[in-house]
Amino acid sequence: MTTEIQQYKNCTILKNNNDYQILWSRGKEVLNFPISQELAERVSKSDKDSLEVMFYCENHRWPKADELEDYNQSDTIIHRGNGFIVYETDGYYEIGFFKEIGGAMGPEVRYPISKELMDKAFESSRGAYEVMTYAETGRWPLKQDDIDRNYIRNHPEAVLLNIEDKRELFDVKEFKSLVQKAVSSKLKPTELDAIGTVDNHLELLLVDPLKWQEEIEAVHLELLQEKMNNYIYFLESKQYVERYGDKFDKKVIHITFQHSPSDNGLAFLAAVQKVLQPTDMSLKIELPE
């Protein structure tokens, strides 16, 4: 069932099959009356005819000659925005908009606002959204930067994506703390990634999934060294014996990188190899192709 809508200067006519309604507003008040097809057609003739029909519907009689001069006037000034209306009455302002309820358009809601908030609502669509939210809840909506900050605080690993942009969201101390948490969550310095035996030697697998980015390199190296030290301690303290025994030709720390290390990363690996050289442990390095 389709409703036809015809808007005129003073009112709106709704047609649903052979049923007609006339609607108009007076300040904050909305008036709505069923009318005949004949009256609906009369509305379309002129502004004066539409006012006469409106008067007739409201008062059940036709207006006298002078009764239309101030008819439908109101002390309320209506300021129409995109998706909202501001009603101004003697320096008092209200913002009105329609709330969606269950996927359908609900009734208009209105909240008092100041002149400054009215001006803000008309500056931009974002300003209107913020004013409507504040008027309804008493709280300003979060701006995108605030939303991003809260998300990263709850999911620190997100700081590693477009890290230069993320740096601008935080002060130095908090940014460093978030990077520490993010790198730690990816590298897991206190855990063994995998352990097993290959060709009569014990092999510990260490996986580094991180990109070598300048902004996080210091933390990356710090936590990689911590993880490497934990691997070495695991072997030195023979924590593997109960499960795997201790008869191995070699004990290998196999480190595989998903991204090519920086020069400082390569220097770190060279230093580790030098430390392990006089021991029964060795370092196997696997770089991406």
Side-chain angles (χ1 to χ4, degrees), residues 120 126 130 141-148:
K120 180 179 177 65
R126 174 69 190 184
E130 290 179 355
L142 292 175
K143 296 184 183 296
Q144 190 58 49
D145 282 356
D146 295 322
I147 294 172
D148 291 344

Side-chain angles (χ1 to χ4, degrees), residues 180 189-190 221-231 268:
Q180 187 90 14
T190 61
L221 283 169
E222 176 188 340
L223 293 180
L224 183 59
Q225 180 175 347
E226 179 184 340
K227 183 155 187 160
M228 185 67 71
N229 288 340
N230 287 333
Y231 273 50
F268 165 74

Side-chain angles (χ1 to χ4, degrees), residues 180-226:
Q180 187 90 14
K181 292 176 182 177
V183 173
S184 182
S185 71
K186 293 289 188 180
L187 202 54
K188 298 179 175 61
T190 61
E191 299 179 14
L192 287 179
D193 295 331
I195 182 172
T197 57
V198 180
D199 297 332
N200 202 35
H201 60 263
L202 184 68
E203 185 166 301
L204 276 60
L205 178 65
L206 191 162
V207 178
D208 186 336
L210 293 167
K211 291 183 178 180
W212 288 81
Q213 303 178 80
E214 182 179 352
E215 293 84 357
I216 67 168
E217 186 182 67
V219 175
H220 190 169
L221 283 169
E222 176 188 340
L223 293 180
L224 183 59
Q225 180 175 347
E226 179 184 340

Side-chain angles (χ1 to χ4, degrees), residues 137-279:
T137 67
R139 298 186 302 273
W140 290 104
L142 292 175
K143 296 184 183 296
Q144 190 58 49
D145 282 356
D146 295 322
I147 294 172
D148 291 344
R149 285 189 192 95
N150 287 341
Y151 180 82
I152 293 169
R153 285 165 180 154
N154 291 323
H155 305 86
E157 63 277 6
V159 79
L160 302 177
L161 302 174
N162 300 318
I163 194 166
E164 291 184 3
D165 294 336
K166 303 299 193 304
R167 181 199 290 273
E168 302 299 322
L169 296 173
F170 303 97
D171 60 36
V172 173
K173 183 178 179 181
E174 185 173 12
F175 179 75
K176 184 176 180 180
S177 173
L178 289 167
V179 167
Q180 187 90 14
K181 292 176 182 177
V183 173
S184 182
S185 71
K186 293 289 188 180
L187 202 54
K188 298 179 175 61
T190 61
E191 299 179 14
L192 287 179
D193 295 331
I195 182 172
T197 57
V198 180
D199 297 332
N200 202 35
H201 60 263
L202 184 68
E203 185 166 301
L204 276 60
L205 178 65
L206 191 162
V207 178
D208 186 336
L210 293 167
K211 291 183 178 180
W212 288 81
Q213 303 178 80
E214 182 179 352
E215 293 84 357
I216 67 168
E217 186 182 67
V219 175
H220 190 169
L221 283 169
E222 176 188 340
L223 293 180
L224 183 59
Q225 180 175 347
E226 179 184 340
K227 183 155 187 160
M228 185 67 71
N229 288 340
N230 287 333
Y231 273 50
I232 293 172
Y233 177 76
F234 179 86
L235 293 174
E236 287 180 336
S237 59
K238 298 184 181 294
Q239 295 179 42
Y240 56 85
V241 170
E242 183 175 346
R243 182 173 180 181
Y244 295 98
D246 198 22
K247 295 181 179 180
F248 300 106
D249 295 336
K250 295 180 181 179
K251 298 169 188 173
V252 179
I253 298 174
H254 178 183
I255 180 168
T256 178
F257 292 94
Q258 293 184 10
H259 303 276
S260 296
S262 65
D263 290 343
N264 288 329
L266 293 173
F268 165 74
L269 295 174
V272 173
Q273 285 180 317
K274 187 174 181 180
V275 168
L276 296 181
Q277 195 168 12
T279 72

